[in-house]
């Protein structure tokens, strides 16, 4: 019977398969969001104030594409928060402008559109899936850090 010391607990828990699945789901949701906004942007160019709704769609396209790349390849908290904010912000804007006639606001045009159509449904679904997947990743990361702290500190 050996009395050699045992290895300390690993400072990093094993990767869980659900994390990879959540990243793929979130990136797919962000990619769909980017594609639909890019596809629709030119149709919304006439809706304009200082900035056109088409330009806002192009900005959403760029943000969602960047977020998808960060989620898949950078895998850091900051990128995950950026992805969550991109999806949640886009979803909030879509729902507000679907149900509330905000009117033109500063440089933004009046984007009130009280109808549902296939592309809008697809964007809502993709953004909800992204928010759920990113929430799971962010909460999971926080729990893993807490577990590491407790195992290392002995609490």
């Amino acid at each position: 019977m050996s009395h050699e010391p045992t290895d300390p607990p690993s400072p990093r828990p094993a990767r869980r398969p659900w994390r990879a699945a959540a990243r793929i789901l979130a990136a797919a949701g962000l990619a769909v969001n980017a594609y639909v906004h890019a596809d629709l942007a030119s149709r919304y160019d006439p809706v304009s104030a200082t900035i056109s709704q088409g330009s806002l769609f192009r900005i959403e396209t760029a943000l969602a594409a960047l977020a998808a790349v960060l989620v898949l390849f950078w895998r850091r908290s900051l990128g995950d928060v950026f992805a969550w904010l991109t999806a949640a912000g886009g979803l909030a804007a879509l729902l507000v402008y679907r149900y509330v006639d905000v009117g033109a606001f500063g440089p933004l045009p009046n984007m009130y559109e009280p109808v549902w159509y296939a592309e809008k449904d697809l964007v809502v679904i993709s953004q909800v899936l992204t928010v759920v997947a990113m929430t799971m990743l962010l909460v999971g990361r926080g729990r893993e850090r807490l577990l590491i702290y407790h195992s290392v500190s002995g609490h």
Side-chain angles (χ1 to χ4, degrees):
M1 188 177 224
S2 173
H3 291 289
E4 292 179 26
T6 59
D7 290 333
S10 171
R12 189 173 202 158
R15 295 274 183 223
R16 298 190 178 29
W18 67 265
R19 292 183 66 77
R23 286 196 178 282
I24 291 168
L25 180 65
L30 289 160
V32 167
N33 184 21
Y35 173 79
V36 172
H37 278 89
D39 187 51
L40 294 176
S42 62
R43 285 194 232 168
Y44 285 90
D45 281 332
V47 181
S48 185
T50 303
I51 188 168
S52 76
Q53 190 171 352
S55 294
L56 293 171
F57 274 31
R58 289 179 188 91
I59 291 168
E60 176 71 14
T61 297
L63 293 174
L66 174 61
V69 169
L70 293 176
V71 165
L72 284 177
F73 300 111
W74 195 44
R75 300 179 183 185
R76 301 285 188 274
S77 294
L78 184 60
D80 292 351
V81 169
F82 177 76
W84 188 92
L85 288 171
T86 299
L91 179 62
L94 187 149
L95 293 174
V96 165
Y97 285 109
R98 164 59 179 89
Y99 293 107
V100 180
D101 188 355
V102 175
F105 184 76
L108 302 177
N110 183 359
M111 297 185 285
Y112 179 60
E113 188 177 43
V115 297
W116 287 107
Y117 51 91
E119 290 92 344
K120 193 181 279 189
D121 293 340
L122 187 58
V123 167
V124 167
I125 292 166
S126 73
Q127 289 173 327
V128 167
L129 289 175
T130 300
V131 168
V132 169
M134 293 313 304
T135 299
M136 289 173 45
L137 285 169
L138 290 166
V139 169
R141 176 173 276 147
R143 291 188 73 208
E144 286 177 359
R145 284 188 179 154
L146 185 61
L147 291 172
I148 291 169
Y149 169 77
H150 284 293
S151 69
V152 172
S153 68
H155 288 113

